[in-house]
Amino acid sequence: MRLLHTSDWHLGRAFHRVNMLGAQAGFIGHLVETVREHGVDAVVVSGDVYDRAVPPLAAVELFDDALHRLADLGVPTVMISGNHDSARRLGVGAGLIDRAGIHLRTDPAGCGTPVVLEDAHGEVAFYGLPYLEPALVKTEFRVEKAGHEAVLAAAMDRVRADLATRARGTRSVVLAHAFVTGGEQSDSERDITVGGVAAVPSGVFDGVDYVALGHLHGCQTLTERVRYSGSPLPYSFSEHRHRKSMWLVDLDAEGSVTAERVDCPVPRDLARLRGTLEELLADPGLTPHEEAWVEATLTDPVRPADPMARLTDRFPHTLSLLFDPERAPDDPAVSYARRLAGRSDQQIAEDFVTHVRGAGPDDHEQTVLRDAFDAVRADETLREVAR
């Protein structure tokens, strides 16, 4: 069976001030053409279909168009909700849409109930594990501690229990939206840390033939059977080195996996440039980036006059302008943002405690801080879902 694995469409999202709906529509067309040209038997979409719980109307219309075009191909599609989606909204009408061969899996209670497809070698069971927010699903999965590994492990126990009841030789595919250990993050993914831990080990998924992951925006191979497709379009300058693609996966009669990447059309290259304003304006080596979307970081010790206007004369698609004057790390003028770069909310809070009282928080206080951050994030999730 030949699968096309994609995820993280983020329909409705902009790239800085650039509306991406046209590029997203171009991707949907490319997806449909790939299915047709490569003889794909099933499409799997591993979450974050939309960029937010209540997407703009234009994004909903594009999603509707995608569903109609996929259904018209007669190729089954299995799709789960991600942490950016409202699972309840995305799942509206799932029972009816199911009849058209579009299988939306957004309810955590259905993790152990697969979509079963057939090919010449028998059945393939597709298990959809929508994004499992630990604070919201711990009761469903009867776990004592709300953490990503615990709820995913419980969901996978249901998958393996169902698989054990099926005919010998039934192949299996799991769709999941999670941060799995070994994956490389980018700036455009929403933090899903719980209890100080965001990642789960890939061993959680043992016992199935292929795991189609979503959440991280870079295409990645964690093992031959566990892969991220990544987002089809860039959504932050941290993705400037990404090769945007989908996985074309062949699952043979024995469940062995072979996979190749299918490149996605990207509307414009990304470039991260750094130097003084005069260096960026004069360097002939930067000529290839003149038509790219540009993030420019200026290192001038004194902020120059009209930097954006002057940059856009040479780089008309400059979208982001940052200032990072070259100074010694202990210089008091080093920006607050620079000192905090790369530090988590928990670390920043602990640093504040250390600064105020001269000693860092003890183990109990670290736990209190962690629980507070987790509670706030869970509350924000509940509020967004309830909108």
Side-chain angles (χ1 to χ4, degrees):
M1 183 172 286
R2 173 163 283 186
L3 317 176
L4 186 63
H5 168 198
T6 178
S7 72
D8 296 275
W9 295 357
H10 288 277
L11 300 181
R13 185 166 185 161
F15 183 76
H16 290 264
R17 61 178 181 271
V18 176
N19 186 316
M20 295 290 279
L21 273 170
Q24 291 168 341
F27 161 70
I28 296 300
H30 171 70
L31 171 71
V32 170
E33 196 58 33
T34 300
V35 171
R36 185 182 292 113
E37 288 185 3
H38 290 272
V40 170
D41 298 304
V43 176
V44 294
V45 185
S46 299
D48 281 354
V49 174
Y50 292 122
D51 188 57
R52 56 182 187 265
V54 185
L57 179 59
V60 177
E61 290 173 340
L62 180 54
F63 179 59
D64 180 64
D65 178 64
L67 294 186
H68 278 86
R69 295 174 73 178
L70 287 168
D72 287 345
L73 290 174
V75 175
T77 298
V78 185
M79 185 177 294
I80 62 172
S81 50
N83 62 303
H84 280 250
D85 299 309
S86 166
R88 293 175 65 183
R89 283 188 173 85
L90 188 64
V92 168
L96 288 174
I97 296 171
D98 209 69
R99 300 177 188 178
I102 307 293
H103 308 283
L104 296 173
R105 293 295 181 263
T106 63
D107 184 357
C111 286
T113 304
V115 175
V116 180
L117 305 178
E118 291 189 36
D119 65 6
H121 306 292
E123 294 185 340
V124 181
F126 290 77
Y127 297 90
L129 278 56
Y131 173 66
L132 303 175
E133 173 60 47
L136 304 183
V137 301
K138 65 177 182 178
T139 302
E140 167 65 33
F141 291 105
R142 299 178 183 176
V143 296
E144 294 182 4
K145 187 175 181 181
H148 289 292
E149 183 173 356
V151 296
L152 270 171
M156 283 302 300
D157 284 344
R158 294 187 183 184
V159 168
R160 285 184 283 264
D162 179 84
L163 197 54
T165 68
R166 299 191 174 274
R168 187 175 180 180
T170 298
R171 290 154 292 162
S172 54
V173 174
V174 164
L175 291 73
H177 195 87
F179 180 14
V180 178
T181 303
E184 183 179 341
Q185 294 176 276
S186 62
D187 293 342
S188 52
E189 298 126 7
R190 182 180 294 170
D191 181 28
I192 59 170
T193 302
V194 172
V197 178
V200 300
S202 61
V204 164
F205 300 104
D206 286 351
V208 296
D209 294 311
Y210 184 70
V211 182
L213 292 174
H215 179 57
L216 299 185
H217 288 184
C219 182
Q220 300 169 62
T221 301
L222 304 186
T223 74
E224 286 305 304
R225 296 184 182 275
V226 182
R227 300 170 187 264
Y228 282 100
S229 66
S231 62
L233 292 164
Y235 292 115
S236 76
F237 277 103
S238 65
E239 301 170 49
H240 69 293
R241 291 193 176 94
H242 287 186
R243 173 187 162 196
K244 295 302 183 181
S245 58
M246 301 177 284
W247 284 112
L248 196 62
V249 178
D250 286 318
L251 198 62
D252 74 9
E254 306 301 320
S256 294
V257 170
T258 57
E260 65 175 290
R261 293 173 72 175
V262 178
D263 290 331
C264 295
V266 176
R268 198 176 293 278
D269 291 337
L270 306 186
R272 273 183 151 173
L273 309 182
R274 181 183 179 87
T276 67
L277 179 58
E278 294 305 325
E279 288 170 346
L280 298 187
L281 295 178
D283 186 353
L286 300 181
T287 300
H289 304 306
E290 290 179 351
E291 293 304 315
W293 280 325
V294 168
E295 176 189 81
T297 300
L298 299 185
T299 60
D300 301 76
V302 177
R303 188 172 299 202
D306 300 322
M308 180 61 91
R310 295 168 67 188
L311 275 171
T312 53
D313 280 343
R314 182 178 186 188
F315 306 102
H317 305 287
T318 301
L319 299 180
S320 176
L321 179 60
L322 306 174
F323 296 93
D324 188 16
E326 296 289 359
R327 295 190 175 106
D330 58 352
D331 189 320
V334 171
S335 73
Y336 182 65
R338 184 173 173 184
R339 294 198 302 274
L340 298 186
R343 301 186 68 73
S344 67
D345 291 342
Q346 175 90 14
Q347 291 170 322
I348 293 169
E350 291 176 7
D351 288 348
F352 177 75
V353 173
T354 304
H355 173 73
V356 169
R357 73 181 187 194
D362 59 26
D363 290 347
H364 171 69
E365 290 167 333
Q366 288 178 344
T367 300
V368 170
L369 284 170
R370 185 178 301 119
D371 289 346
F373 282 119
D374 288 349
V376 169
R377 194 181 54 77
D379 182 65
E380 288 176 345
T381 301
L382 280 169
R383 288 173 182 272
E384 185 163 302
V385 169
R387 287 175 60 193

